[in-house]
């Protein structure tokens, strides 16, 4: 009888220790070791900027296209939500890539354009239906993110939670979905370059969250560099709220880059940078 009791006690102890043993055994291969946490708006801007082929004075060696997608976990306080983060870069003169001046004009006047069509197509082909989306973009990319939030095909297929733009003017597609936050440096004039400066001036101006990066009259430097500076935008969370606590957890190795093409059957052509500042 005593031996039976000893066996039962040992068995109970083993059962009690199994969860902790399992955790210890799994920790060396825990997938969370590869995770990165985006804590502020600058992290979001950096994610978008990876979509530029020619950034500052150097070619981006990891360029895979202007559209980036990754699965992530949005955390707001104790609430967590699975999402897909879609990053969209802005104007760049690349052969066969619709991130050009014509697209700027079409988007600024809230017209359909090839870049928008490519963004919608990439999202539908690579993100499961029913998913939650966060759309974010810089300059033209932020304009396209706003346009995409009103796209009927996307709205029927997904739930668009948030749209965050950097250095982008207001675009108001019909029945826009998701909470919009527009961030713009005080020296950056691009956030006013859309038809809404005439049609909806109050929304254009008052809907812009501004910070001063100290660029004075150099709006080009403000437009390209301000949004990566934590001393300017570090107080804004990943959803664009100053003083907010929202974060995004993701695996940077799982980020996928996608091309956008004016003529899709020529997408195998090498990337040729046509920018005059190259």
């Amino acid at each position: 009888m005593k031996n039976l009791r000893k066996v039962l006690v040992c068995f109970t102890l083993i059962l009690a220790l199994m969860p902790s043993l399992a955790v210890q055994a799994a920790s060396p291969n825990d997938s969370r070791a590869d995770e990165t946490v985006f804590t502020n708006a600058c992290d979001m801007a950096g994610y978008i900027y990876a979509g530029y082929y020619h950034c500052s004075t150097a070619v981006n060696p990891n360029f895979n296209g202007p559209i980036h997608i990754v699965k992530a976990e949005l955390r707001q306080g104790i609430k967590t939500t699975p999402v897909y983060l879609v990053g969209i870069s802005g104007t760049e003169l690349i052969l066969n890539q619709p991130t050009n001046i014509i697209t700027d004009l079409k988007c600024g006047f809230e017209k359909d354009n090839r870049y928008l069509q490519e963004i919608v197509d990439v999202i539908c082909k690579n993100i499961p239906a029913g998913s939650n989306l966060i759309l974010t973009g810089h300059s033209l990319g932020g304009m396209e993110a706003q346009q995409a939030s009103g796209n009927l095909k996307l709205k029927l297929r997904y739930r668009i939670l948030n749209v965050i733009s950097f250095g982008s003017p207001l675009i108001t597609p019909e029945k826009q979905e998701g909470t919009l936050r527009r961030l713009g440096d005080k020296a950056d004039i691009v956030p006013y370059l859309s038809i809404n400066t005439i049609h909806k001036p109050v929304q254009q101006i008052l809907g812009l969250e501004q910070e001063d990066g100290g660029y004075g009259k150099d709006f080009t430097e403000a437009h390209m560099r301000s949004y990566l500076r934590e001393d300017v935008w570090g107080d804004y969370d990943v959803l664009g709220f100053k003083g907010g606590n929202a974060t995004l957890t993701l695996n940077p190795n799982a980020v996928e880059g996608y091309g956008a093409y004016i003529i899709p059957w020529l997408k195998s052509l090498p990337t040729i940078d046509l920018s005059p500042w190259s």
Side-chain angles (χ1 to χ4, degrees), residues 81-143:
T81 306
V83 299
Y84 279 86
L85 176 61
V86 181
I88 308 167
S89 65
T91 306
E92 197 166 29
L93 304 182
I94 304 293
L95 183 66
N96 200 33
Q97 183 172 295
T99 54
N100 50 45
I101 305 302
I102 294 174
T103 304
D104 279 312
L105 291 171
K106 285 186 174 181
C107 195
F109 283 94
E110 304 190 350
K111 303 297 184 182
D112 190 23
N113 58 82
R114 184 63 194 161
Y115 197 15
L116 176 62
Q117 294 165 13
E118 287 284 272
I119 292 165
V120 171
D121 188 54
V122 166
I123 291 173
C124 290
K125 285 182 177 178
N126 296 282
I127 299 179
S131 300
N132 299 312
L133 301 185
I134 293 178
L135 308 176
T136 186
H138 171 253
S139 193
L140 170 61
M143 296 163 70

Side-chain angles (χ1 to χ4, degrees), residues 10-127:
C10 290
F11 185 70
T12 302
L13 287 172
I14 290 171
L15 287 176
L17 289 171
M18 277 182 69
S20 61
L21 290 172
V23 169
Q24 290 173 8
S27 60
N29 299 315
D30 190 351
S31 62
R32 289 188 172 271
D34 296 326
E35 288 181 343
T36 293
V37 180
F38 285 3
T39 60
N40 58 39
C42 304
D43 293 329
M44 298 287 274
Y47 176 76
I48 298 163
Y49 276 47
Y52 284 112
Y53 173 75
H54 190 276
C55 193
S56 187
T57 59
V59 171
N60 174 8
N62 300 313
F63 176 77
N64 288 310
I67 307 166
H68 281 75
I69 295 176
V70 69
K71 190 175 183 179
E73 182 181 80
L74 172 65
R75 178 166 295 177
Q76 297 170 281
I78 61 172
K79 180 183 177 182
T80 59
T81 306
V83 299
Y84 279 86
L85 176 61
V86 181
I88 308 167
S89 65
T91 306
E92 197 166 29
L93 304 182
I94 304 293
L95 183 66
N96 200 33
Q97 183 172 295
T99 54
N100 50 45
I101 305 302
I102 294 174
T103 304
D104 279 312
L105 291 171
K106 285 186 174 181
C107 195
F109 283 94
E110 304 190 350
K111 303 297 184 182
D112 190 23
N113 58 82
R114 184 63 194 161
Y115 197 15
L116 176 62
Q117 294 165 13
E118 287 284 272
I119 292 165
V120 171
D121 188 54
V122 166
I123 291 173
C124 290
K125 285 182 177 178
N126 296 282
I127 299 179

Side-chain angles (χ1 to χ4, degrees), residues 21 25 29 33 35 54 64 75 97 114 117 152 165 178 193 198 206 210 218 228 232 266:
L21 290 172
N29 299 315
E35 288 181 343
H54 190 276
N64 288 310
R75 178 166 295 177
Q97 183 172 295
R114 184 63 194 161
Q117 294 165 13
L152 182 60
S165 73
L193 302 182
I198 298 172
L206 297 184
Q210 290 190 302
D218 196 345
L228 297 171
V232 181
L266 292 178

Side-chain angles (χ1 to χ4, degrees), residues 220-237:
T220 56
E221 284 289 294
H223 185 62
M224 289 307 299
R225 299 185 185 277
S226 176
Y227 309 106
L228 297 171
R229 288 175 49 187
E230 293 209 5
D231 61 316
V232 181
W233 299 100
D235 290 339
Y236 289 76
D237 70 6

Side-chain angles (χ1 to χ4, degrees), residues 90-278:
T91 306
E92 197 166 29
L93 304 182
I94 304 293
L95 183 66
N96 200 33
Q97 183 172 295
T99 54
N100 50 45
I101 305 302
I102 294 174
T103 304
D104 279 312
L105 291 171
K106 285 186 174 181
C107 195
F109 283 94
E110 304 190 350
K111 303 297 184 182
D112 190 23
N113 58 82
R114 184 63 194 161
Y115 197 15
L116 176 62
Q117 294 165 13
E118 287 284 272
I119 292 165
V120 171
D121 188 54
V122 166
I123 291 173
C124 290
K125 285 182 177 178
N126 296 282
I127 299 179
S131 300
N132 299 312
L133 301 185
I134 293 178
L135 308 176
T136 186
H138 171 253
S139 193
L140 170 61
M143 296 163 70
E144 296 287 1
Q146 293 176 67
Q147 272 201 309
S149 71
N151 181 269
L152 182 60
K153 186 175 181 180
L154 292 184
K155 292 197 301 179
L156 290 175
R157 190 178 177 91
Y158 305 102
R159 183 184 175 209
I160 301 171
L161 302 181
N162 298 87
V163 181
I164 309 98
S165 73
F166 297 84
S168 308
L170 177 66
I171 304 296
T172 53
E174 187 177 356
K175 297 181 180 178
Q176 188 172 1
E177 186 174 306
T179 301
L180 172 63
R181 300 292 288 175
R182 293 168 51 232
L183 311 185
D185 190 284
K186 287 186 176 180
D188 188 357
I189 65 172
V190 177
Y192 304 102
L193 302 182
S194 76
I195 193 64
N196 282 315
T197 296
I198 298 172
H199 287 174
K200 300 177 181 178
V202 175
Q203 290 173 262
Q204 180 81 287
I205 296 169
L206 297 184
L208 183 66
E209 298 293 326
Q210 290 190 302
E211 296 294 335
D212 189 354
Y215 293 96
K217 295 181 180 179
D218 196 345
F219 79 89
T220 56
E221 284 289 294
H223 185 62
M224 289 307 299
R225 299 185 185 277
S226 176
Y227 309 106
L228 297 171
R229 288 175 49 187
E230 293 209 5
D231 61 316
V232 181
W233 299 100
D235 290 339
Y236 289 76
D237 70 6
V238 296
L239 300 182
F241 288 91
K242 190 170 186 177
N245 64 1
T247 63
L248 281 166
T249 302
L250 56 95
N251 181 349
N253 298 318
V255 176
E256 295 288 345
Y258 300 93
Y261 307 99
I262 298 171
I263 305 174
W265 55 271
L266 292 178
K267 64 182 181 181
S268 59
L269 288 174
T271 301
I272 301 176
D273 184 4
L274 302 176
S275 304
W277 51 83
S278 300

